[in-house]
């Protein structure tokens, strides 16, 4: 089985298992998603979802964040870790969007990466979830680990994995596939104790074949 064939099988099987390929972060508009993804760096999505209701009630719009100081934002996001850097990035991103982009998120990864605190993970996720483009969100341990186990990528560097997956994934499937890898990694393909006996991909997984030899 070629990489292309294995990729197609993985896309179809995970689509069947996880038909609702939704981002687990909760948000009401594109800028709130940007904020939530920034907060999720080295923090769980579950923790971010506990923090953002009060944060977005206090700062309900991009304009409200832009008018705030980082010090005003910090108490609301303290439990997410690295709160000072995150607060500064969020405030500055709001100001940059309002002054340079008319308050509208850019539609390309390269332009989004010009915003404070926005890397390729955030940019790809925004392009995929907001604009329906072929985002490949790989700055996640689940995505990188499972892509390697399936033989779809041979690096732990997020950018290299992204470029390798872009060659294999149909653009219309890539964003949802990356969301499904997160769900799959949490439920079955665990880092330490993968549940291979329950895995819908076990017969096409090179790792399982090696273990059984």
């Amino acid at each position: 089985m070629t990489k292309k064939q294995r990729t197609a099988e993985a896309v179809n099987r995970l689509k069947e298992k996880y038909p609702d390929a939704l981002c687990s972060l909760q948000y009401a508009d594109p800028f709130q998603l940007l904020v939530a993804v920034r907060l999720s760096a080295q923090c769980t999505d579950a923790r971010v979802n506990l923090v953002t209701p009060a944060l977005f009630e206090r700062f309900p719009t991009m304009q409200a964040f832009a008018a705030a100081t980082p010090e005003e934002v910090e108490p609301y996001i303290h439990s997410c870790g690295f709160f000072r850097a995150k607060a500064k990035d969020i405030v500055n991103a709001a100001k940059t969007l309002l002054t340079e982009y008319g308050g509208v998120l850019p539609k390309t990864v390269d332009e989004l990466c010009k915003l404070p605190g926005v890397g390729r993970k955030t940019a790809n996720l925004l392009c995929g979830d907001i604009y329906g483009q072929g985002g490949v969100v790989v700055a996640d341990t689940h995505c990188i680990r499972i892509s390697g186990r399936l033989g779809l990528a041979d690096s732990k560097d997020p950018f290299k994995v992204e470029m390798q997956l872009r060659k294999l994934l149909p653009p219309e499937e890539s964003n949802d596939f990356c969301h499904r890898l997160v769900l799959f990694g949490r439920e079955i393909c665990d880092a330490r104790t993968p549940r291979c006996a329950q895995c819908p991909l076990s017969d096409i997984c090179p790792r399982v074949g090696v273990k059984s030899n």
Side-chain angles (χ1 to χ4, degrees):
M1 179 177 284
T2 67
K3 283 187 179 181
K4 276 277 189 180
Q5 292 171 326
R6 191 181 302 119
T7 302
E9 278 294 316
V11 167
N12 290 333
R13 294 184 192 187
L14 291 183
K15 184 188 295 187
E16 182 177 349
K17 184 166 181 60
Y18 306 105
D20 298 322
L22 301 176
C23 176
S24 58
L25 295 168
Q26 298 171 2
Y27 62 96
D29 59 53
F31 185 71
Q32 286 191 358
L33 178 57
L34 184 155
V35 171
V37 179
R38 181 66 187 95
L39 294 178
S40 72
Q42 296 180 295
C43 179
T44 66
D45 289 357
R47 166 55 56 185
V48 173
N49 287 337
L50 290 174
V51 165
T52 49
L55 176 68
F56 293 150
E57 182 178 1
R58 172 63 180 83
F59 306 100
T61 64
M62 186 186 302
Q63 290 80 358
F65 276 106
T69 64
E71 290 74 19
E72 290 174 312
V73 175
E74 287 174 5
Y76 293 89
I77 64 172
H78 188 279
S79 64
C80 290
F82 302 95
F83 62 94
R84 291 190 179 88
K86 292 178 180 180
K88 182 178 179 181
D89 286 341
I90 290 167
V91 169
N92 287 338
K95 290 178 179 178
T96 301
L97 283 166
L98 289 170
T99 58
E100 299 183 21
Y101 295 94
V104 178
L105 267 66
K107 294 185 177 182
T108 68
V109 170
D110 289 342
E111 280 298 311
L112 284 164
C113 285
K114 294 178 182 179
L115 298 174
V118 174
R120 293 193 69 86
K121 171 189 175 179
T122 304
N124 271 290
L125 192 148
L126 290 169
C127 281
D129 280 32
I130 301 302
Y131 294 121
Q133 300 176 11
V136 181
V137 185
V138 301
D140 179 279
T141 57
H142 296 297
C143 185
I144 294 171
R145 178 180 72 256
I146 297 167
S147 296
R149 285 177 174 175
L150 289 175
L152 308 184
D154 58 7
S155 175
K156 293 186 178 180
D157 177 81
F159 180 75
K160 291 180 180 178
V161 174
E162 177 189 336
M163 293 301 107
Q164 290 174 336
L165 289 180
R166 282 189 181 278
K167 295 178 181 179
L168 298 171
L169 288 166
E172 67 274 13
E173 298 285 359
S174 59
N175 188 66
D176 286 350
F177 180 71
C178 291
H179 282 322
R180 290 182 176 114
L181 286 184
V182 175
L183 299 173
F184 178 59
R186 289 171 179 169
E187 181 184 0
I188 295 175
C189 199
D190 183 75
R192 293 184 178 180
T193 55
R195 300 166 180 82
C196 298
Q198 305 170 26
C199 179
L201 308 180
S202 59
D203 62 315
I204 63 170
C205 178
R207 181 182 187 275
V208 175
V210 169
K211 285 176 64 180
S212 64
N213 289 337

